[in-house]
Amino acid sequence: MRDELLHVSNGFGAAQVQDFAQHPMANYVRDALRASIVDALGIAAGAYRVRGGAGAGRWAAVPWVAVFDPLITTSATRGYYVVYLFAYELGLIHLSLNQGTTAVQAEFGAGYLDVLRDRAALIRARVPDAAAEFPVHVIEFGDVVDGDLPNGYAAGHAFGKTYHINELPTEEDLRADLSELMTAYLTLTFRGGLNPPEEVVVGGEYDVPIAGMNVVEIRRYKYHLRIDRNPSASHRARLHHGTTCQVCNLNFEERYGELGAGYIEAHHLRPLAELEEGVPVELNIERDFAVLCANCHRMAHRLENPADLDALRGIVRDR
Ligand SMILES: [Zn+2]
Ligand SMILES: [Zn+2]
């Protein structure tokens, strides 16, 4: 990845005064640079999406290549993710735990930079160990023309490292930094992501099923719900497992007609107590998911082991 990072940093300035369409540099960011990051992630790459961007229709002010956890986001415009940002005018490459700015700008309007700064502070507070290891808390972009995105990146930056291209570390050290920041990224999600710290899951679509859950259990529970709700996973679970409850055989279309057609809930079966902070979750649709009706799903979460669907089937059968 070292060569690819250098190639973009050194060549982008000359490229961005030329036509964007079909430019080799734009393709390089999307393909070769992206592929080098996938390679650096090693076997963990299967749990992530990696995307590179040099612009859309015209050159971006800041080219980037990002790693997304699909449980959090699949787009650079929202959520939080790990990204390399090229401040090519300054000869700097920022490795950053950063946030999508477009969605925040759309939601909050003029005050969005403050929202991003607040959330960056929340991230630092939530993973203080990683924030201490990645001490760069301010990143700069120089005199880039289009100011909105660079300002957003600067505000959304939680922590990371800044490399000067004249002193770029070895391939091995770059990979180690990426790996450590990915661990911080996953740990952040496990500890509640960007959810406000005072938030406890009560009411709404799911209730906390067990009174007196301690903090770690609440985290695991919310993490489970994130996996359940991962749109691509639940879509694929439905395609693979069908739309009939695998505990009680309820089918929403049979019960509710057209209103219920296609409705079912995905339920993650890997015991979350076995999951570690900062370790990527690879989802296997066949093995790791069941589809349940809304009732059975809630009852599954009241089991001591929510993955033990045989226990739930037994209860239903015995009634
Ligand atoms: Zn059911
Ligand atoms: Zn579930």
Side-chain angles (χ1 to χ4, degrees):
M1 70 197 267
R2 188 177 190 277
D3 291 345
E4 288 81 0
L5 291 170
L6 276 175
H7 180 82
V8 173
S9 189
N10 288 328
F12 198 83
Q16 56 87 39
V17 296
Q18 299 169 355
D19 266 357
F20 177 76
Q22 301 300 318
H23 197 286
M25 176 56 77
N27 293 334
Y28 190 90
V29 171
R30 276 189 295 263
D31 300 333
L33 176 62
R34 176 192 170 277
S36 77
I37 303 300
V38 170
D39 184 61
L41 289 168
I43 52 162
Y48 307 121
R49 308 265 170 86
V50 183
R51 295 283 178 274
R58 64 195 179 92
W59 292 103
V62 179
W64 54 270
V65 58
V67 186
F68 307 124
D69 177 350
L71 295 180
I72 303 305
T73 183
T74 54
S75 160
T77 62
R78 58 181 172 278
Y80 54 95
Y81 47 84
V82 167
V83 63
Y84 290 94
L85 298 163
F86 293 84
Y88 59 92
E89 285 181 349
L90 304 177
L92 302 177
I93 302 171
H94 305 297
L95 170 61
S96 172
L97 182 58
N98 213 297
Q99 307 169 59
T101 59
T102 311
V104 176
Q105 194 173 10
E107 187 179 350
F108 293 93
Y112 78 105
L113 290 176
D114 287 332
V115 174
L116 290 168
R117 283 186 203 104
D118 287 350
R119 289 180 176 177
L122 171 66
I123 293 172
R124 288 192 284 270
R126 198 155 257 173
V127 277
D129 32 346
E133 226 172 298
F134 290 97
V136 174
H137 296 169
V138 177
I139 55 175
E140 293 177 349
F141 293 93
D143 261 346
V144 284
V145 188
D146 178 358
D148 260 12
L149 275 173
N151 288 339
Y153 288 135
H157 173 75
F159 50 77
K161 278 197 177 172
T162 290
Y163 307 113
H164 198 286
I165 58 162
N166 294 332
E167 295 162 10
L168 199 59
T170 62
E171 177 79 22
E172 197 184 350
D173 288 347
L174 287 170
R175 286 178 180 232
D177 286 348
L178 175 61
S179 166
E180 272 176 51
L181 197 60
M182 290 306 301
T183 298
Y185 179 37
L186 297 178
T187 301
L188 171 64
T189 301
F190 196 87
R191 294 183 185 173
L194 293 177
N195 296 321
E198 70 277 13
E199 185 191 346
V200 173
V201 198
V202 281
E205 199 181 338
Y206 299 84
D207 285 311
V208 170
I210 302 163
M213 270 184 151
N214 67 34
V215 171
V216 172
E217 283 170 331
I218 289 175
R219 280 182 195 153
R220 283 188 184 133
Y221 179 70
K222 296 187 74 171
Y223 197 60
H224 178 125
L225 294 183
R226 259 193 196 283
I227 296 173
D228 281 357
R229 290 169 179 174
N230 173 9
S232 85
S234 61
H235 176 69
R236 286 163 62 211
R238 206 177 311 140
L239 289 180
H240 182 81
H241 293 285
T243 56
T244 297
C245 176
Q246 290 176 324
V247 166
C248 76
N249 296 318
L250 182 127
N251 179 287
F252 282 92
E253 187 172 14
E254 283 170 19
R255 175 69 64 89
Y256 297 98
E258 205 175 322
L259 181 64
Y263 185 81
I264 199 75
E265 297 184 359
H267 175 59
H268 184 64
L269 293 174
R270 189 109 56 102
L272 290 182
E274 288 173 11
L275 299 184
E276 280 175 69
E277 282 190 343
V279 177
V281 182
E282 270 194 276
L283 305 174
N284 179 297
I285 298 301
E286 157 106 51
R287 181 193 63 208
D288 294 338
F289 282 91
V291 292
L292 300 177
C293 73
N295 279 345
C296 290
H297 195 187
R298 283 224 179 178
M299 292 305 114
H301 279 275
R302 292 172 69 98
L303 294 169
E304 197 159 326
N305 171 12
D308 189 1
L309 295 188
D310 278 338
L312 194 57
R313 288 188 193 99
I315 292 167
V316 171
R317 206 185 314 115
D318 291 347
R319 298 298 305 163

